[in-house]
Amino acid sequence: DAGVTQSPTHLIKTRGQQVTLRCSPKSGHDTVSWYQQALGQGPQFIFQYYEEEERQRGNFPDRFSGHQFPNYSSELNVNALLLGDSALYLCASSLFRSGRAGDTDTQYFGPGTRLTVL
Amino acid sequence: QKEVEQNSGPLSVPEGAIASLNCTYSDRVSQSFFWYRQYSGKSPELIMSIYSNGDKEDGRFTAQLNKASQYVSLLIRDSQPSDSATYLCAVRKAGGYQKVTFGTGTKLQVIP
């Protein structure tokens, strides 16, 4: 059973550049959420994709955008990179169920992409 | 007030002792509660989820939920040095597209 995969593992960019991060969800999952985790902080929710649409968005600027493909994989794009965008970017997958509590709303994380902006 | 609050620690316990990690949340409509473990430089790994008031046990781990007090805790029995990590509490509200909100994590150090 394939878990959540992310690519690349590490990335170094300079200010002003653009970056694309990729995520493949766990087998059987249809929902992908993206998080940013700065050093010493908990993961901060960026947005969630289900059925190829952005369903929920956290407090992040429009420079952060995403996409979900028909095979449920997802991309996170960040434009006009700032030094403060340096962080671990985490993708989490889950299976959508109408908000009812239960094991199916559990999120499983990928290994993350470490982005460094110089 | 933060949505999910945890003491950042570090919490130091001797090997073999019980480690008690605590978390409070602000939104009463929260429905799902999770504990994740995160080793330095790695991604969060799910330990347990809990949805109903009371205790839920899985091996050496016990999650406790008290919705009236808006409090969730994680007990680790017979703590091992390999349990040394940051423990993240996460909360999800009811509803189809609700996000998961994380606390800042509690760093646990198990002293051999």
Side-chain angles (χ1 to χ4, degrees):
Chain A
D1 182 19
V4 183
T5 60
Q6 291 186 245
S7 63
T9 305
H10 296 86
L11 206 49
I12 299 175
K13 292 286 188 179
T14 56
R15 281 178 297 175
Q17 284 190 310
Q18 178 264 343
V19 67
T20 297
L21 310 181
R22 295 177 175 83
C23 171
S24 290
K26 180 179 169 67
S27 179
H29 284 182
D30 56 10
T31 302
V32 172
S33 300
W34 286 93
Y35 295 84
Q36 180 195 67
Q37 187 176 25
L39 203 60
Q41 301 296 315
Q44 297 294 309
F45 176 78
I46 302 175
F47 42 54
Q48 179 188 79
Y49 276 86
Y50 170 68
E51 289 188 332
E52 302 179 48
E53 290 193 22
E54 184 182 293
R55 301 294 179 172
Q56 275 281 329
R57 189 178 181 91
N59 188 25
F60 280 80
D62 292 345
R63 299 186 298 109
F64 289 78
S65 63
H67 188 77
Q68 185 179 35
F69 300 94
N71 66 353
Y72 309 120
S73 67
S74 177
E75 288 183 349
L76 164 65
N77 301 291
V78 187
N79 295 321
L81 284 167
L82 304 174
L83 295 179
D85 294 332
S86 295
L88 179 66
Y89 287 85
L90 296 162
C91 167
S93 76
S94 57
L95 181 63
F96 178 79
R97 283 291 183 265
S98 306
R100 293 171 301 178
D103 289 344
T104 51
D105 72 343
T106 301
Q107 295 189 343
Y108 295 88
F109 284 89
T113 294
R114 174 72 64 186
L115 173 64
T116 302
V117 182
L118 302 176
Chain B
Q1 182 184 9
K2 290 183 179 179
E3 292 185 63
V4 181
E5 294 206 53
Q6 296 180 257
N7 187 320
S8 61
L11 172 67
S12 294
V13 299
E15 183 175 355
I18 295 175
S20 178
L21 305 163
N22 304 316
C23 171
T24 58
Y25 59 94
S26 61
D27 197 324
R28 287 193 171 274
V29 300
S30 297
Q31 183 181 62
S32 306
F33 306 87
F34 309 92
W35 283 101
Y36 287 84
R37 176 175 63 196
Q38 187 173 29
Y39 293 111
S40 181
K42 302 296 185 181
S43 65
E45 172 192 12
L46 179 72
I47 299 175
M48 293 185 70
S49 56
I50 186 167
Y51 305 97
S52 303
N53 280 327
D55 295 359
K56 180 181 179 182
E57 185 175 321
D58 184 0
R60 295 187 296 113
F61 299 96
T62 298
Q64 300 174 319
L65 175 61
N66 184 327
K67 291 186 178 181
S69 300
Q70 295 175 238
Y71 173 91
V72 58
S73 65
L74 179 70
L75 300 178
I76 307 175
R77 290 182 300 280
D78 188 23
S79 295
Q80 301 297 309
S82 59
D83 294 326
S84 297
T86 296
Y87 288 79
L88 296 164
C89 173
V91 173
R92 184 180 187 273
K93 292 190 283 190
Y97 303 118
Q98 293 300 332
K99 66 178 184 179
V100 175
T101 302
F102 285 81
T104 55
T106 298
K107 186 172 184 178
L108 173 67
Q109 295 177 340
V110 180
I111 311 302

